[in-house]
Amino acid sequence: MKASAISHSNIALIKYWGRQEDGGRGMNLPLNDNVSMTKEGISGGSKLMSHTTVEFSRSYEMDSMVLEGRELTGRELERVRLVVDPLRTKAGVEEHFRIGSRNDFPTAAGLASSAAGFSALAIAASSALGLDLSREELSTWARLGSGSAVRSLHGGFVYWHKGSSHETSFAEKVCQGAPFPLNAVIAIVNEGRKGVSSDVGHEHAHTSPFNSIRTELSQKEALLVRDAILDNDLRTVGSIAERNSKYMHAVMMTSDLPLYYWQGETLKVIRSVHAMRDRGLEVYFTIDAGPNVHCLCRPEDALEVQKELEGGEHVLRTIIARPAEDPHTIDEHLF
Ligand code: ADP
Ligand code: DP6
């Protein structure tokens, strides 16, 4: 009863921020449908990937997990159990688990390590338990660990139906990368752990006066972006994604736990994106719960965008990412 899996992180083009009230903290039901690109790093030495090994055995006296050499405790281990427990029950297994996981990129820095991690966890755990589940169903189990993980169960471009129950809140593939050639050049301005996790941040979204309008607009924009991806329309995808990211940060900054994920360097990158666009280079930005900036552009423009961003002293390094393949099990175990 041992299996390993890899899964990539994803970047939201339409954001998930705040949870449905009756979905509580346990179910991670989003307020609006949302859309993302599952991303594979192709430069900078990072594939933006988690590698997870899960083993169930009678020889383990308790559940445990090591992430990046660190034994998880408290809420972090509880989130892992939220995914594994229902799968273990489904399989009729009572043994405890031992899990090891590694991210090949910074954890908790706004690059969605939780998305890659919980997606890899759901795949490895279900495989170790001998369950044969569809990607859609697996996405619902990954969601219990981290909302955005639901979207990493597919490669390419992905649509998360908000749903209104555990079964109806799942991820569906829009398309693999080819119909919509897109790269994200990630400008890393800080690799440190963020001060307030998204997990906590979501709980405060409803206290912002802008929360309901963000939700309403995002629901419409999710559909527009899905259509624009299928139409290979970068201008529409990019401009809506950029605007949608700003709506989310407006909610974050105006909630009763004010969250300022941007740093001075973040704003400098935003200005560079505007300057490149003024010069006729088609590039748009989006920012998650952290100071780093994803710059969306055509693959043929990625090196020029990278060069421009790396020219600024405020940028520590960049990673170019493209749409990733589907996550899958692998033979190499971590222990
Ligand atoms: P990020 O932007 O990196 O997703 P979050 O604060 O939302 O930041 O999530 C980070 C948390 O996600 C970690 O503290 C850990 O609890 C969990 N996490 C990250 N990577 C993994 C992994 N590979 N497996 C399981 N859990 C993970
Ligand atoms: C800002 O999925 O990290 O990246 O459900 O608590 O794990 P949990 O939150 P998480 O939230 C990510 C929010 C975001 C936007 C997005 O990815 O849609």
Side-chain angles (χ1 to χ4, degrees), residues 9 46 48-51 65-70 72 76 79 101-118 188 190-198 289-292 317 319:
S9 161
S46 167
L48 302 171
M49 193 179 82
S50 298
H51 178 178
M65 170 158 179
V66 173
L67 170 61
E68 303 293 348
R70 187 170 58 90
L72 297 190
E76 286 192 295
R79 284 173 80 178
S101 186
R102 270 198 220 132
N103 300 326
D104 75 351
F105 61 107
T107 299
L111 291 173
S113 64
S114 53
F118 285 102
I188 298 185
N190 186 333
E191 313 215 47
R193 284 182 82 85
K194 55 185 152 193
V196 179
S197 73
S198 319
N292 303 316
R317 65 188 182 102
I319 302 171

Side-chain angles (χ1 to χ4, degrees), residues 10-31:
N10 69 73
I11 175 67
L13 303 172
I14 298 298
K15 307 294 185 188
Y16 148 51
W17 193 250
R19 304 177 175 115
Q20 293 177 32
E21 246 171 63
D22 52 1
R25 213 166 161 181
M27 279 216 283
N28 293 336
L29 303 184
L31 296 168

Side-chain angles (χ1 to χ4, degrees), residues 64-299:
S64 62
M65 170 158 179
V66 173
L67 170 61
E68 303 293 348
R70 187 170 58 90
E71 196 73 45
L72 297 190
T73 56
R75 173 79 181 145
E76 286 192 295
L77 185 60
E78 190 193 314
R79 284 173 80 178
V80 171
R81 282 215 196 84
L82 289 172
V83 178
V84 180
D85 274 346
L87 292 170
R88 185 159 49 181
T89 305
K90 215 175 169 64
V93 165
E94 286 180 351
E95 278 78 359
H96 288 295
F97 63 70
R98 177 89 187 133
I99 300 174
S101 186
R102 270 198 220 132
N103 300 326
D104 75 351
F105 61 107
T107 299
L111 291 173
S113 64
S114 53
F118 285 102
S119 167
L121 175 70
I123 296 174
S126 64
S127 173
L129 291 164
L131 295 168
D132 184 19
L133 307 177
S134 69
R135 293 277 153 163
E136 281 71 19
E137 179 171 354
L138 272 176
S139 75
T140 64
W141 299 116
R143 195 196 68 240
L144 301 181
S146 164
S148 55
V150 72
R151 301 183 306 232
S152 277
L153 264 293
H154 299 283
F157 296 94
V158 184
Y159 193 96
W160 177 6
H161 298 272
K162 66 182 171 124
S164 56
S165 62
H166 173 69
E167 293 76 18
T168 54
S169 186
F170 66 93
E172 182 181 28
K173 186 180 292 203
V174 175
C175 61
Q176 201 54 50
F180 181 51
L182 186 75
N183 275 182
V185 184
I186 309 167
I188 298 185
V189 298
N190 186 333
E191 313 215 47
R193 284 182 82 85
K194 55 185 152 193
V196 179
S197 73
S198 319
D199 187 31
V200 171
H202 285 294
E203 295 300 301
H204 296 267
H206 69 279
T207 63
S208 163
F210 303 122
N211 187 47
S212 54
I213 182 76
R214 187 207 72 82
T215 304
E216 200 181 303
L217 291 170
S218 298
Q219 187 60 33
K220 292 183 186 138
E221 291 179 347
L223 294 164
L224 293 174
V225 162
R226 178 170 65 179
D227 289 349
I229 287 170
L230 292 168
D231 286 346
N232 190 15
D233 177 354
L234 175 59
R235 182 174 300 232
T236 301
V237 173
S239 53
I240 294 180
E242 191 171 297
R243 213 165 59 207
N244 193 268
S245 161
K246 290 188 285 184
Y247 298 159
M248 179 181 74
H249 285 274
V251 168
M252 289 164 158
M253 290 179 200
T254 53
S255 64
D256 71 4
L257 175 72
L259 294 169
Y260 298 93
Y261 285 114
W262 293 10
Q263 296 180 352
E265 291 80 3
T266 310
L267 208 48
K268 286 184 182 165
V269 176
I270 291 175
R271 293 218 171 93
S272 307
V273 169
H274 287 163
M276 284 187 269
R277 215 154 60 213
D278 287 347
R279 288 206 316 264
L281 198 57
E282 213 179 353
V283 51
Y284 304 88
F285 70 83
T286 182
I287 305 166
D288 271 350
N292 303 316
V293 185
H294 283 66
C295 302
L296 309 170
C297 63
R298 291 297 191 190

